[in-house]
Amino acid sequence: MKVVIVGGVAGGATAAARLRRLDEKIEIIIIERGEHVSFANCGLPYHIGNIIKERDQLLLETPETFKNKLNIDVRTKNEVIEINKIDKKIKVQNLNNKNIYFENYDYLILSPGAKPIKPRIEGIQSEGVFVLRNVEDMDNIKEYIKNREKILVVGGGFIGIEMAENLLHIGKSVEIVEMADQLMTPVDYEIASIIHNHCNDKGLKLNLSNAVTKIEKENNFLKVLFSNGESKNFDVIIMSTGVIPEKELALNCGLELGNTGIKVNEYMQTSCENIYAVGDAVEINNLISGQKNLIPLAGPANKQARIAANNIYYGNKEKYKGALGTSIAKIFDMTIASTGLNEKRLKAMKIDYISSITTSKSHAGYYPGASLITLKILFNRDGKIFGAQAVGEDGVDKRIDVISTAIKAGLKVWDLEELELTYAPPFGSAKDPVNYAGFVANNIIKGDIEVIDWDKIKEIENHIILDVRNKDEINDNNIIKEGSFINIPLSELRKNLNMLEKDKTYITYCTMGLRGYIAYRILKLNGYKVYNLNGGFRVYSNAKKSKKMHK
């Protein structure tokens, strides 16, 4: 059997290694257009920022190591330019000498990946404008910025934020411009706003709800014109506006495409039975929505590659069910992560949902070093979990991983209450943030509490804001001024109920939510109309501060 793989890195290299472990006699060839067949592309920004000191640490395997360890023929700087699926033959160009040759195959695996989007902006081809996709791009950026200080990063997604942080780490002046009103669009605004304020504190300039319309090269700098009419000068521009799948080969040879990428079945098989496709170029099933879409992440690519290799060797027996899009990013001292669908997607799909936002400590509060985790869960009244988002300094990864696993296992939101998670004071709490989120979500479903989101307060008629924090916690700058306001500390609320009017609607809140919830129950059980502020004042204040700063 002869298997030819188009493209290396996560998908192609994984498929090749798996095939070799299954059979010593299969002839395996990887044809890679770039100079490096297997590298840690997620680590590229960190070498630019000198966090990863040695460049070679990013080079996971070379053609020589593939040959010596796995007896796999790796041909870098070779590009597949045509597929003849009838004759089972590919046309290849050696990019070093421009020679053309042909290679036959029994099975073909396409792992071409995705390429950075270059928007149609006048001047985008100017010197000093870069994208970051591979090691060569990394080397070029690292060399070019040595004596240049002012850098614009276009796009506030994973790569854009990681680039910005690393550039600041080496002393550059950095600004991010983003068309949306927030960074990190996989999460919802109130979670992103915590990151916005953290970025501002760290000196990263955010230019939200704006876009680059033109780039002009003037002397030694780049003049950038924005959609809001402003213009600024930069030394370097790094484009990070997302990726699009490399599907031209598949299209040109007549393979069926989906709406977004190469169409594959549950076995990772294309419309041609002896051609499989994996990685960022393929359209896969979203486990929550059931819709086909692109999820360009290394984790799914590795899993798909292993399944494709197994199915080539054993026959189509192993199915790829889909992905949730679980993702995470470090942003200075904080971590932000998500899994499943966010509110924007749920609204677009017209799915009824409920949200709960809780803030808990990463481990027992009495043990030194505890920090806050804000966790948002999206679910319905039947308990189905649609997604989750979290932000904090420590322990965010653990909580999102737990909820991702719960979704995959088909657990309901109330099952989060009963999860038995490790507890010792340095690591967690007896009531883990995931358990606590389950308590609150289940309370909402059972009707024990009705919450109001930070941006919906004005929709409640005839309301009064009831702050139940202690008097020494509040001042004129940290109260909610969206209606009549009163402060009655929780410890004094029961004896002051006679101050409250039964014909008014009260919105209770504290800093993080617990005291506000207790106040809600006191009022509710005494016959008052009441809501509790979802996530407490911490979520509200971060969202409002971000809106004011970036309007």
Side-chain angles (χ1 to χ4, degrees):
M1 185 193 301
K2 180 177 180 179
V3 180
V4 176
I5 301 171
V6 182
V9 199
T14 297
R18 176 60 179 167
L19 282 167
R20 176 56 71 227
R21 291 194 297 272
L22 292 171
D23 193 321
E24 269 289 297
K25 296 180 180 179
I26 297 176
E27 182 181 358
I28 305 170
I29 301 172
I30 299 177
I31 299 177
E32 166 58 47
R33 179 174 54 194
E35 186 176 344
H36 303 282
V37 65
S38 181
F39 61 91
N41 49 4
C42 294
L44 301 180
Y46 297 97
H47 181 58
I48 292 172
N50 289 334
I51 301 298
I52 298 173
K53 300 291 185 184
E54 299 299 325
R55 177 181 182 274
D56 287 351
Q57 289 180 269
L58 301 173
L59 306 180
L60 305 179
E61 298 287 351
T62 66
E64 292 73 28
T65 61
F66 264 108
K67 186 64 177 177
N68 294 336
K69 291 193 298 186
L70 295 169
N71 191 27
I72 292 171
D73 180 3
V74 175
R75 304 173 189 175
T76 56
K77 302 294 286 182
N78 280 249
E79 181 176 10
V80 177
I81 55 179
E82 188 179 301
I83 299 170
N84 182 334
K85 65 182 192 296
I86 304 299
D87 296 333
K88 294 195 285 188
K89 184 183 295 185
I90 57 172
K91 183 179 181 181
V92 187
Q93 182 176 43
N94 184 320
L95 300 179
N96 293 306
N97 56 28
K98 305 304 180 184
N99 288 342
I100 299 291
Y101 65 95
F102 295 87
E103 198 74 52
N104 67 313
Y105 61 84
D106 294 307
Y107 288 95
L108 187 67
I109 299 177
L110 300 180
S111 180
K115 58 186 176 183
I117 295 172
K118 273 198 166 185
R120 294 182 178 178
I121 299 170
E122 184 180 345
I124 198 169
Q125 301 299 332
S126 302
E127 179 191 343
V129 181
F130 296 90
V131 297
L132 179 62
R133 182 186 187 186
N134 52 38
V135 175
E136 290 83 4
D137 294 333
M138 176 191 73
D139 291 340
N140 291 335
I141 292 170
K142 192 172 178 67
E143 179 64 28
Y144 193 84
I145 65 174
K146 280 183 177 177
N147 299 311
R148 294 172 171 87
E149 300 301 318
K150 195 171 182 182
I151 302 176
L152 176 68
V153 176
V154 183
F158 289 97
I159 300 300
I161 289 176
E162 289 169 356
M163 276 301 310
E165 177 185 353
N166 279 279
L167 291 167
L168 275 173
H169 184 260
I170 55 174
K172 305 300 182 183
S173 171
V174 187
E175 179 173 324
I176 290 181
V177 60
E178 166 58 52
M179 289 180 65
D181 65 349
Q182 66 169 88
L183 303 177
M184 301 297 292
T185 54
V187 305
D188 293 314
Y189 189 86
E190 62 267 34
I191 300 298
S193 69
I194 296 172
I195 291 297
H196 296 170
N197 296 321
H198 185 59
C199 288
N200 285 318
D201 292 343
K202 293 294 184 178
L204 174 58
K205 305 178 189 72
L206 301 183
N207 190 348
L208 305 178
S209 301
N210 207 355
V212 175
T213 58
K214 188 177 181 181
I215 300 168
E216 297 176 350
K217 184 74 173 177
E218 292 192 2
N219 299 321
N220 293 322
F221 60 83
L222 295 161
K223 181 180 179 181
V224 177
L225 282 68
F226 296 99
S227 57
N228 66 356
E230 294 181 346
S231 66
K232 297 181 182 179
N233 296 334
F234 296 92
D235 299 315
V236 183
I237 299 172
I238 297 176
M239 305 299 300
S240 179
T241 51
V243 295
I244 55 174
E246 293 262 27
K247 54 188 180 182
E248 290 77 12
L249 265 178
L251 174 65
N252 292 338
C253 78
L255 293 180
E256 191 174 346
L257 302 181
N259 292 325
T260 54
I262 301 171
K263 187 173 183 178
V264 293
N265 62 18
E266 57 196 350
Y267 304 110
M268 304 311 300
Q269 189 178 40
T270 69
S271 55
C272 182
E273 65 179 3
N274 62 338
I275 301 179
Y276 290 73
V278 301
D280 296 354
V282 303
E283 186 177 79
I284 61 174
N285 186 46
N286 183 290
L287 285 174
I288 300 293
S289 69
Q291 295 179 341
K292 300 288 186 181
N293 61 331
L294 297 171
I295 301 181
L297 297 170
N302 276 279
K303 295 175 182 67
Q304 295 159 24
R306 182 182 176 89
I307 288 171
N310 288 347
N311 288 333
I312 286 173
Y313 185 73
Y314 291 113
N316 286 346
K317 295 181 179 179
E318 193 169 338
K319 297 179 180 180
Y320 182 72
K321 297 176 182 178
L324 293 170
T326 306
S327 56
I328 191 167
K330 172 188 175 297
I331 306 173
F332 300 107
D333 302 326
M334 301 195 85
T335 303
I336 188 166
S338 67
T339 188
L341 303 180
N342 57 27
E343 281 199 61
K344 295 182 284 290
R345 287 284 305 279
L346 291 168
K347 286 176 180 176
M349 297 168 64
K350 298 182 180 179
I351 295 175
D352 290 332
Y353 67 91
I354 304 166
S355 76
S356 73
I357 305 173
T358 54
T359 298
S360 315
K361 291 190 175 179
S362 57
H363 59 249
Y366 56 82
Y367 187 89
S371 58
L372 298 178
I373 296 174
T374 298
L375 176 57
K376 178 175 182 176
I377 299 182
L378 298 161
F379 54 96
N380 66 13
R381 295 205 172 273
D382 295 327
K384 180 174 181 177
I385 306 172
F386 294 125
Q389 307 155 29
V391 61
E393 293 183 12
D394 182 50
V396 167
D397 52 345
K398 170 184 173 180
R399 276 69 188 202
I400 290 298
D401 283 344
V402 167
I403 297 174
S404 173
T405 304
I407 295 173
K408 191 75 183 290
L411 300 185
K412 301 293 187 179
V413 72
W414 46 74
D415 292 321
L416 300 181
E417 297 183 24
E418 301 179 11
L419 293 180
E420 186 178 346
L421 305 174
T422 55
Y423 162 59
F427 305 106
S429 301
K431 295 178 183 177
D432 189 86
V434 173
N435 300 136
Y436 189 60
F439 298 147
V440 173
N442 201 16
N443 283 342
I444 294 172
I445 290 174
K446 291 187 296 185
D448 290 344
I449 187 171
E450 191 169 359
V451 296
I452 184 77
D453 290 332
W454 67 275
D455 57 345
K456 299 293 191 297
I457 290 176
K458 290 182 179 179
E459 296 178 10
I460 305 299
E461 295 182 1
N462 201 25
H463 70 267
I464 294 177
I465 306 293
L466 175 56
D467 187 329
V468 297
R469 294 176 292 175
N470 296 329
K471 295 187 183 300
D472 61 357
E473 294 179 70
I474 66 172
N475 56 60
D476 190 55
N477 294 320
N478 75 350
I479 62 174
I480 297 175
K481 302 175 182 178
E482 295 192 46
S484 300
F485 169 86
I486 57 173
N487 168 229
I488 304 176
L490 179 62
S491 59
E492 302 173 18
L493 184 57
R494 286 185 177 86
K495 63 185 178 184
N496 285 292
L497 287 176
N498 61 327
M499 295 174 52
L500 307 181
E501 304 171 57
K502 286 287 180 75
D503 62 343
K504 302 289 187 182
T505 298
Y506 291 88
I507 298 174
T508 61
Y509 78 93
C510 61
T511 301
M512 295 191 296
L514 179 58
R515 286 176 292 174
Y517 166 62
I518 296 171
Y520 171 96
R521 294 302 299 164
I522 292 171
L523 266 62
K524 190 71 174 179
L525 294 172
N526 281 278
Y528 290 88
K529 292 179 288 186
V530 59
Y531 292 90
N532 187 44
L533 180 62
N534 202 2
F537 185 74
R538 182 172 184 267
V539 168
Y540 174 92
S541 61
N542 270 286
K544 286 291 184 178
K545 180 180 177 182
S546 178
K547 282 287 186 186
K548 183 177 180 181
M549 192 174 301
H550 302 112
K551 64 182 179 179

PDB file of all heavy atoms in Angstrom, residues 95-115:
ATOM      1  N   LEU A  95      10.026  23.044  -5.437  1.00  0.00           N
ATOM      2  CA  LEU A  95      10.144  24.502  -5.390  1.00  0.00           C
ATOM      3  C   LEU A  95      11.594  24.970  -5.377  1.00  0.00           C
ATOM      4  O   LEU A  95      11.855  26.165  -5.582  1.00  0.00           O
ATOM      5  CB  LEU A  95       9.398  25.049  -4.167  1.00  0.00           C
ATOM      6  CG  LEU A  95       7.891  24.747  -4.127  1.00  0.00           C
ATOM      7  CD1 LEU A  95       7.269  25.313  -2.861  1.00  0.00           C
ATOM      8  CD2 LEU A  95       7.187  25.311  -5.361  1.00  0.00           C
ATOM      9  N   ASN A  96      12.522  24.073  -5.136  1.00  0.00           N
ATOM     10  CA  ASN A  96      13.938  24.454  -5.158  1.00  0.00           C
ATOM     11  C   ASN A  96      14.461  24.587  -6.585  1.00  0.00           C
ATOM     12  O   ASN A  96      15.174  25.541  -6.909  1.00  0.00           O
ATOM     13  CB  ASN A  96      14.769  23.416  -4.390  1.00  0.00           C
ATOM     14  CG  ASN A  96      14.458  23.415  -2.909  1.00  0.00           C
ATOM     15  OD1 ASN A  96      14.518  24.458  -2.265  1.00  0.00           O
ATOM     16  ND2 ASN A  96      14.121  22.258  -2.368  1.00  0.00           N
ATOM     17  N   ASN A  97      14.110  23.616  -7.445  1.00  0.00           N
ATOM     18  CA  ASN A  97      14.641  23.645  -8.811  1.00  0.00           C
ATOM     19  C   ASN A  97      13.560  23.796  -9.886  1.00  0.00           C
ATOM     20  O   ASN A  97      13.864  23.787 -11.080  1.00  0.00           O
ATOM     21  CB  ASN A  97      15.470  22.386  -9.091  1.00  0.00           C
ATOM     22  CG  ASN A  97      14.661  21.112  -8.840  1.00  0.00           C
ATOM     23  OD1 ASN A  97      13.449  21.086  -8.961  1.00  0.00           O
ATOM     24  ND2 ASN A  97      15.372  20.037  -8.497  1.00  0.00           N
ATOM     25  N   LYS A  98      12.284  23.901  -9.446  1.00  0.00           N
ATOM     26  CA  LYS A  98      11.123  24.103 -10.340  1.00  0.00           C
ATOM     27  C   LYS A  98      10.814  22.887 -11.210  1.00  0.00           C
ATOM     28  O   LYS A  98       9.978  22.968 -12.109  1.00  0.00           O
ATOM     29  CB  LYS A  98      11.310  25.343 -11.244  1.00  0.00           C
ATOM     30  CG  LYS A  98      11.600  26.637 -10.493  1.00  0.00           C
ATOM     31  CD  LYS A  98      10.521  26.945  -9.462  1.00  0.00           C
ATOM     32  CE  LYS A  98      10.826  28.241  -8.720  1.00  0.00           C
ATOM     33  NZ  LYS A  98       9.847  28.520  -7.648  1.00  0.00           N
ATOM     34  N   ASN A  99      11.471  21.760 -10.950  1.00  0.00           N
ATOM     35  CA  ASN A  99      11.178  20.549 -11.716  1.00  0.00           C
ATOM     36  C   ASN A  99       9.796  20.004 -11.371  1.00  0.00           C
ATOM     37  O   ASN A  99       9.347  20.083 -10.222  1.00  0.00           O
ATOM     38  CB  ASN A  99      12.227  19.474 -11.438  1.00  0.00           C
ATOM     39  CG  ASN A  99      13.561  19.810 -12.062  1.00  0.00           C
ATOM     40  OD1 ASN A  99      13.637  20.638 -12.963  1.00  0.00           O
ATOM     41  ND2 ASN A  99      14.622  19.170 -11.592  1.00  0.00           N
ATOM     42  N   ILE A 100       9.131  19.415 -12.362  1.00  0.00           N
ATOM     43  CA  ILE A 100       7.817  18.812 -12.196  1.00  0.00           C
ATOM     44  C   ILE A 100       7.975  17.294 -12.220  1.00  0.00           C
ATOM     45  O   ILE A 100       8.724  16.747 -13.045  1.00  0.00           O
ATOM     46  CB  ILE A 100       6.863  19.249 -13.324  1.00  0.00           C
ATOM     47  CG1 ILE A 100       6.672  20.774 -13.329  1.00  0.00           C
ATOM     48  CG2 ILE A 100       5.515  18.531 -13.207  1.00  0.00           C
ATOM     49  CD1 ILE A 100       5.898  21.321 -12.156  1.00  0.00           C
ATOM     50  N   TYR A 101       7.272  16.618 -11.316  1.00  0.00           N
ATOM     51  CA  TYR A 101       7.259  15.156 -11.360  1.00  0.00           C
ATOM     52  C   TYR A 101       5.881  14.658 -10.910  1.00  0.00           C
ATOM     53  O   TYR A 101       5.061  15.418 -10.401  1.00  0.00           O
ATOM     54  CB  TYR A 101       8.373  14.555 -10.503  1.00  0.00           C
ATOM     55  CG  TYR A 101       8.267  14.810  -9.006  1.00  0.00           C
ATOM     56  CD1 TYR A 101       7.666  13.873  -8.160  1.00  0.00           C
ATOM     57  CD2 TYR A 101       8.786  15.973  -8.439  1.00  0.00           C
ATOM     58  CE1 TYR A 101       7.584  14.084  -6.790  1.00  0.00           C
ATOM     59  CE2 TYR A 101       8.716  16.192  -7.072  1.00  0.00           C
ATOM     60  CZ  TYR A 101       8.100  15.248  -6.255  1.00  0.00           C
ATOM     61  OH  TYR A 101       8.021  15.459  -4.914  1.00  0.00           O
ATOM     62  N   PHE A 102       5.641  13.374 -11.104  1.00  0.00           N
ATOM     63  CA  PHE A 102       4.352  12.770 -10.775  1.00  0.00           C
ATOM     64  C   PHE A 102       4.558  11.666  -9.743  1.00  0.00           C
ATOM     65  O   PHE A 102       5.607  11.018  -9.698  1.00  0.00           O
ATOM     66  CB  PHE A 102       3.677  12.203 -12.027  1.00  0.00           C
ATOM     67  CG  PHE A 102       3.293  13.262 -13.026  1.00  0.00           C
ATOM     68  CD1 PHE A 102       4.212  13.679 -13.988  1.00  0.00           C
ATOM     69  CD2 PHE A 102       2.039  13.844 -12.995  1.00  0.00           C
ATOM     70  CE1 PHE A 102       3.878  14.653 -14.910  1.00  0.00           C
ATOM     71  CE2 PHE A 102       1.692  14.822 -13.911  1.00  0.00           C
ATOM     72  CZ  PHE A 102       2.622  15.242 -14.870  1.00  0.00           C
ATOM     73  N   GLU A 103       3.546  11.470  -8.917  1.00  0.00           N
ATOM     74  CA  GLU A 103       3.602  10.428  -7.890  1.00  0.00           C
ATOM     75  C   GLU A 103       2.238   9.743  -7.840  1.00  0.00           C
ATOM     76  O   GLU A 103       1.195  10.406  -7.750  1.00  0.00           O
ATOM     77  CB  GLU A 103       3.925  11.055  -6.526  1.00  0.00           C
ATOM     78  CG  GLU A 103       4.419  10.075  -5.501  1.00  0.00           C
ATOM     79  CD  GLU A 103       5.857   9.630  -5.757  1.00  0.00           C
ATOM     80  OE1 GLU A 103       6.751  10.487  -5.913  1.00  0.00           O
ATOM     81  OE2 GLU A 103       6.066   8.392  -5.799  1.00  0.00           O
ATOM     82  N   ASN A 104       2.235   8.421  -7.924  1.00  0.00           N
ATOM     83  CA  ASN A 104       0.969   7.702  -7.804  1.00  0.00           C
ATOM     84  C   ASN A 104       0.693   7.378  -6.338  1.00  0.00           C
ATOM     85  O   ASN A 104       1.576   7.487  -5.479  1.00  0.00           O
ATOM     86  CB  ASN A 104       0.997   6.431  -8.649  1.00  0.00           C
ATOM     87  CG  ASN A 104       1.988   5.414  -8.125  1.00  0.00           C
ATOM     88  OD1 ASN A 104       3.130   5.777  -7.831  1.00  0.00           O
ATOM     89  ND2 ASN A 104       1.576   4.167  -7.988  1.00  0.00           N
ATOM     90  N   TYR A 105      -0.520   6.955  -6.052  1.00  0.00           N
ATOM     91  CA  TYR A 105      -0.892   6.624  -4.671  1.00  0.00           C
ATOM     92  C   TYR A 105      -2.024   5.599  -4.677  1.00  0.00           C
ATOM     93  O   TYR A 105      -2.772   5.464  -5.651  1.00  0.00           O
ATOM     94  CB  TYR A 105      -1.344   7.880  -3.913  1.00  0.00           C
ATOM     95  CG  TYR A 105      -2.564   8.573  -4.509  1.00  0.00           C
ATOM     96  CD1 TYR A 105      -3.858   8.148  -4.198  1.00  0.00           C
ATOM     97  CD2 TYR A 105      -2.417   9.641  -5.385  1.00  0.00           C
ATOM     98  CE1 TYR A 105      -4.975   8.770  -4.754  1.00  0.00           C
ATOM     99  CE2 TYR A 105      -3.522  10.275  -5.947  1.00  0.00           C
ATOM    100  CZ  TYR A 105      -4.801   9.827  -5.621  1.00  0.00           C
ATOM    101  OH  TYR A 105      -5.902  10.436  -6.168  1.00  0.00           O
ATOM    102  N   ASP A 106      -2.147   4.891  -3.571  1.00  0.00           N
ATOM    103  CA  ASP A 106      -3.334   4.073  -3.322  1.00  0.00           C
ATOM    104  C   ASP A 106      -4.355   4.876  -2.515  1.00  0.00           C
ATOM    105  O   ASP A 106      -5.556   4.800  -2.759  1.00  0.00           O
ATOM    106  CB  ASP A 106      -2.955   2.794  -2.568  1.00  0.00           C
ATOM    107  CG  ASP A 106      -2.085   1.874  -3.417  1.00  0.00           C
ATOM    108  OD1 ASP A 106      -2.502   1.563  -4.547  1.00  0.00           O
ATOM    109  OD2 ASP A 106      -0.999   1.504  -2.953  1.00  0.00           O
ATOM    110  N   TYR A 107      -3.830   5.612  -1.538  1.00  0.00           N
ATOM    111  CA  TYR A 107      -4.675   6.509  -0.745  1.00  0.00           C
ATOM    112  C   TYR A 107      -3.978   7.862  -0.654  1.00  0.00           C
ATOM    113  O   TYR A 107      -2.745   7.940  -0.574  1.00  0.00           O
ATOM    114  CB  TYR A 107      -4.907   5.968   0.662  1.00  0.00           C
ATOM    115  CG  TYR A 107      -5.834   4.770   0.708  1.00  0.00           C
ATOM    116  CD1 TYR A 107      -5.308   3.478   0.707  1.00  0.00           C
ATOM    117  CD2 TYR A 107      -7.216   4.935   0.740  1.00  0.00           C
ATOM    118  CE1 TYR A 107      -6.144   2.374   0.742  1.00  0.00           C
ATOM    119  CE2 TYR A 107      -8.061   3.832   0.779  1.00  0.00           C
ATOM    120  CZ  TYR A 107      -7.525   2.568   0.779  1.00  0.00           C
ATOM    121  OH  TYR A 107      -8.356   1.475   0.807  1.00  0.00           O
ATOM    122  N   LEU A 108      -4.801   8.909  -0.626  1.00  0.00           N
ATOM    123  CA  LEU A 108      -4.295  10.276  -0.503  1.00  0.00           C
ATOM    124  C   LEU A 108      -4.945  10.911   0.716  1.00  0.00           C
ATOM    125  O   LEU A 108      -6.152  10.783   0.922  1.00  0.00           O
ATOM    126  CB  LEU A 108      -4.644  11.069  -1.762  1.00  0.00           C
ATOM    127  CG  LEU A 108      -4.071  12.482  -1.908  1.00  0.00           C
ATOM    128  CD1 LEU A 108      -2.556  12.426  -2.074  1.00  0.00           C
ATOM    129  CD2 LEU A 108      -4.708  13.184  -3.110  1.00  0.00           C
ATOM    130  N   ILE A 109      -4.149  11.564   1.535  1.00  0.00           N
ATOM    131  CA  ILE A 109      -4.673  12.330   2.674  1.00  0.00           C
ATOM    132  C   ILE A 109      -4.350  13.795   2.440  1.00  0.00           C
ATOM    133  O   ILE A 109      -3.183  14.172   2.285  1.00  0.00           O
ATOM    134  CB  ILE A 109      -4.057  11.872   4.011  1.00  0.00           C
ATOM    135  CG1 ILE A 109      -4.380  10.398   4.275  1.00  0.00           C
ATOM    136  CG2 ILE A 109      -4.593  12.733   5.155  1.00  0.00           C
ATOM    137  CD1 ILE A 109      -3.745   9.858   5.552  1.00  0.00           C
ATOM    138  N   LEU A 110      -5.372  14.615   2.414  1.00  0.00           N
ATOM    139  CA  LEU A 110      -5.193  16.055   2.250  1.00  0.00           C
ATOM    140  C   LEU A 110      -5.157  16.720   3.619  1.00  0.00           C
ATOM    141  O   LEU A 110      -6.092  16.599   4.415  1.00  0.00           O
ATOM    142  CB  LEU A 110      -6.332  16.645   1.422  1.00  0.00           C
ATOM    143  CG  LEU A 110      -6.507  16.099  -0.001  1.00  0.00           C
ATOM    144  CD1 LEU A 110      -7.687  16.793  -0.683  1.00  0.00           C
ATOM    145  CD2 LEU A 110      -5.239  16.280  -0.807  1.00  0.00           C
ATOM    146  N   SER A 111      -4.071  17.422   3.896  1.00  0.00           N
ATOM    147  CA  SER A 111      -3.937  18.189   5.129  1.00  0.00           C
ATOM    148  C   SER A 111      -3.300  19.540   4.805  1.00  0.00           C
ATOM    149  O   SER A 111      -2.223  19.882   5.308  1.00  0.00           O
ATOM    150  CB  SER A 111      -3.075  17.416   6.139  1.00  0.00           C
ATOM    151  OG  SER A 111      -2.930  18.144   7.340  1.00  0.00           O
ATOM    152  N   PRO A 112      -3.958  20.317   3.927  1.00  0.00           N
ATOM    153  CA  PRO A 112      -3.348  21.558   3.455  1.00  0.00           C
ATOM    154  C   PRO A 112      -3.435  22.707   4.449  1.00  0.00           C
ATOM    155  O   PRO A 112      -2.774  23.731   4.288  1.00  0.00           O
ATOM    156  CB  PRO A 112      -4.141  21.880   2.193  1.00  0.00           C
ATOM    157  CG  PRO A 112      -5.489  21.286   2.453  1.00  0.00           C
ATOM    158  CD  PRO A 112      -5.238  20.042   3.256  1.00  0.00           C
ATOM    159  N   GLY A 113      -4.282  22.549   5.472  1.00  0.00           N
ATOM    160  CA  GLY A 113      -4.396  23.600   6.477  1.00  0.00           C
ATOM    161  C   GLY A 113      -5.193  24.796   6.014  1.00  0.00           C
ATOM    162  O   GLY A 113      -5.987  24.723   5.072  1.00  0.00           O
ATOM    163  N   ALA A 114      -4.979  25.906   6.694  1.00  0.00           N
ATOM    164  CA  ALA A 114      -5.664  27.153   6.375  1.00  0.00           C
ATOM    165  C   ALA A 114      -4.639  28.267   6.273  1.00  0.00           C
ATOM    166  O   ALA A 114      -3.591  28.225   6.919  1.00  0.00           O
ATOM    167  CB  ALA A 114      -6.707  27.481   7.442  1.00  0.00           C
ATOM    168  N   LYS A 115      -4.940  29.245   5.458  1.00  0.00           N
ATOM    169  CA  LYS A 115      -4.007  30.362   5.275  1.00  0.00           C
ATOM    170  C   LYS A 115      -4.592  31.639   5.864  1.00  0.00           C
ATOM    171  O   LYS A 115      -5.819  31.801   5.938  1.00  0.00           O
ATOM    172  CB  LYS A 115      -3.708  30.565   3.789  1.00  0.00           C
ATOM    173  CG  LYS A 115      -4.934  30.843   2.932  1.00  0.00           C
ATOM    174  CD  LYS A 115      -4.576  30.876   1.456  1.00  0.00           C
ATOM    175  CE  LYS A 115      -5.831  31.047   0.586  1.00  0.00           C
ATOM    176  NZ  LYS A 115      -5.520  31.000  -0.859  1.00  0.00           N
TER     177      LYS A 115
END
